[in-house]
């Protein structure tokens, strides 16, 4: 099997990755992996790293968990991410906040139609109702069980699964409170780039959105590419955009001042 290449697999070493974002040299790349439909991945990224998620064919639905790599008891809090920023529609300039008032990652680039911070991840029961089965090793794996496998690699388990963000599936709330999902497919190659503001463990599960109305198990690969970057400077426009965001950055800076 040596030398075999398929679409969905990691690039090893990561520095052998090609088709990189403009201005990124191959020796800066620390992770490059294309995650299959129904696949999962997890990676520890150092503070200052950039992570680009690319929707290869336009129908990815990649759910994400984020943990403080040093103390995983601190993790992404989607409720605080939404309410502190007074905005549930993530995009460039938005922050991913922890349950301890710190910014874990920031969105520095986004050319997509939107994402989902409302609905959470699919599970065995939801997939079984829709596709006939949802078993982890069957034809229709669900996001929560994919998270379990990924978390085990870092000493965590099912109880560590928290509400997630799902990239590339825009969800909005109608005037009457109804949840509206723009299921797509969308433009192939759309991407979102995040900056790690802490040392983080990022966990991804690429499974159909929990509210996807299609009867087929419809999801396509997503590419994750991460590279080294500088820690956010004090004059960064995202850091200074709002008083609430600035406080979250200051909390991170205080944490690393120990």
């Amino acid at each position: 099997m040596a030398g075999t290449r398929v679409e969905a697999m990691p690039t090893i070493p990561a520095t052998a990755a090609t088709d990189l974002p403009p201005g990124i040299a191959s020796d800066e790349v620390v992770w490059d992996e294309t995650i299959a439909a129904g696949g999962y991945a997890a990676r520890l990224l150092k503070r200052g790293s950039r992570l680009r998620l690319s929707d290869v064919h336009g129908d990815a639905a990649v759910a994400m968990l984020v943990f403080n790599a040093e103390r995983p008891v601190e993790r992404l809090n989607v409720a605080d991410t939404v309410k502190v920023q007074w905005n549930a529609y993530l995009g460039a300039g938005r922050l991913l906040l922890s349950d301890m008032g710190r910014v874990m990652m920031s969105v520095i680039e986004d050319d997509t139609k939107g994402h989902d911070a409302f609905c959470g991840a699919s599970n065995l029961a939801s997939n079984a109702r829709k596709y006939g089965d949802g078993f982890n090793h069957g034809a229709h794996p669900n996001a929560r069980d994919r998270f379990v496998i990924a978390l085990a690699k870092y000493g965590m388990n099912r109880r560590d699964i928290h509400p997630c963000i799902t990239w590339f599936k825009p969800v909005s709330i109608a005037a009457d409170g109804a949840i509206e999902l723009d299921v797509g497919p969308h433009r192939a190659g759309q991407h979102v780039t995040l900056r790690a503001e802490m040392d983080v463990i990022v966990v991804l599960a690429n499974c159909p959105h929990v509210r996807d109305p299609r009867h087929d198990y419809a999801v396509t690969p997503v590419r994750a590419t991460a590279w080294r970057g500088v820690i956010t400077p004090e004059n960064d426009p995202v850091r200074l955009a709002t008083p609430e965001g600035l406080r979250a950055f200051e909390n991170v800076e205080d944490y690393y001042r120990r």
Side-chain angles (χ1 to χ4, degrees):
M1 298 295 290
T4 301
R5 293 290 303 177
V6 296
E7 181 181 36
M9 64 184 296
T11 302
I12 300 177
T15 52
T18 59
D19 191 23
L20 297 172
I24 304 304
S26 59
D27 61 358
E28 298 173 329
V29 179
V30 296
W31 180 29
D32 184 65
E33 181 171 355
T34 299
I35 303 161
Y40 68 92
R43 183 65 57 139
L44 192 158
L45 298 177
K46 301 298 288 184
R47 186 182 180 200
S49 299
R50 273 59 169 173
L51 171 63
R52 172 172 287 196
L53 301 175
S54 301
D55 187 354
V56 179
H57 299 298
D59 207 0
V62 60
M64 185 172 79
L65 309 178
V66 187
F67 300 85
N68 177 341
E70 181 183 51
R71 298 176 63 250
V73 68
E74 180 178 10
R75 67 270 317 262
L76 172 66
N77 187 310
V78 177
D80 283 357
T81 292
V82 169
K83 69 184 182 183
V84 170
Q85 299 180 93
W86 298 90
N87 195 315
Y89 302 111
L90 298 175
R94 299 297 176 190
L95 311 177
L96 306 188
L97 302 176
S98 82
D99 50 9
M100 297 187 184
R102 292 187 273 260
V103 54
M104 307 193 80
M105 306 187 82
S106 56
V107 183
I108 59 174
E109 185 183 16
D110 186 7
D111 75 346
T112 73
K113 291 189 67 176
H115 312 285
D116 171 29
F118 295 104
C119 297
S122 60
N123 56 42
L124 192 154
S126 66
N127 276 23
R129 286 194 300 269
K130 194 181 302 181
Y131 310 117
D133 81 85
F135 295 108
N136 219 343
H137 304 291
H140 311 101
N142 67 85
R144 287 185 64 87
D145 284 346
R146 285 316 204 194
F147 282 152
V148 171
I149 299 176
L151 288 168
K153 302 177 188 299
Y154 291 91
M156 294 182 279
N157 55 40
R158 188 176 297 274
R159 70 180 182 180
D160 295 296
I161 298 174
H162 57 71
C164 66
I165 289 168
T166 302
W167 303 104
F168 306 121
K169 290 301 178 191
V171 168
S172 58
I173 305 300
D176 63 357
I179 294 175
E180 297 181 343
L181 169 66
D182 182 356
V183 70
H186 302 296
R187 176 177 54 83
Q190 62 177 343
H191 63 268
V192 58
T193 305
L194 300 103
R195 178 176 59 201
E197 309 295 356
M198 308 178 68
D199 294 349
V200 294
I201 297 169
V202 173
V203 182
L204 304 173
N206 187 33
C207 300
H209 192 278
V210 66
R211 296 181 66 90
D212 192 323
R214 293 173 289 184
H215 296 294
D216 295 331
Y217 191 84
V219 64
T220 56
V222 62
R223 181 181 179 185
T225 304
W227 59 94
R228 298 181 187 88
V230 298
I231 294 172
T232 303
E234 290 187 357
N235 63 349
D236 182 80
V238 175
R239 180 179 182 274
L240 299 175
T242 68
E244 296 87 352
L246 176 59
R247 184 56 173 267
F249 274 95
E250 290 174 339
N251 288 343
V252 169
E253 291 152 8
D254 183 65
Y255 178 79
Y256 283 101
R257 199 173 287 124
R258 295 168 301 161

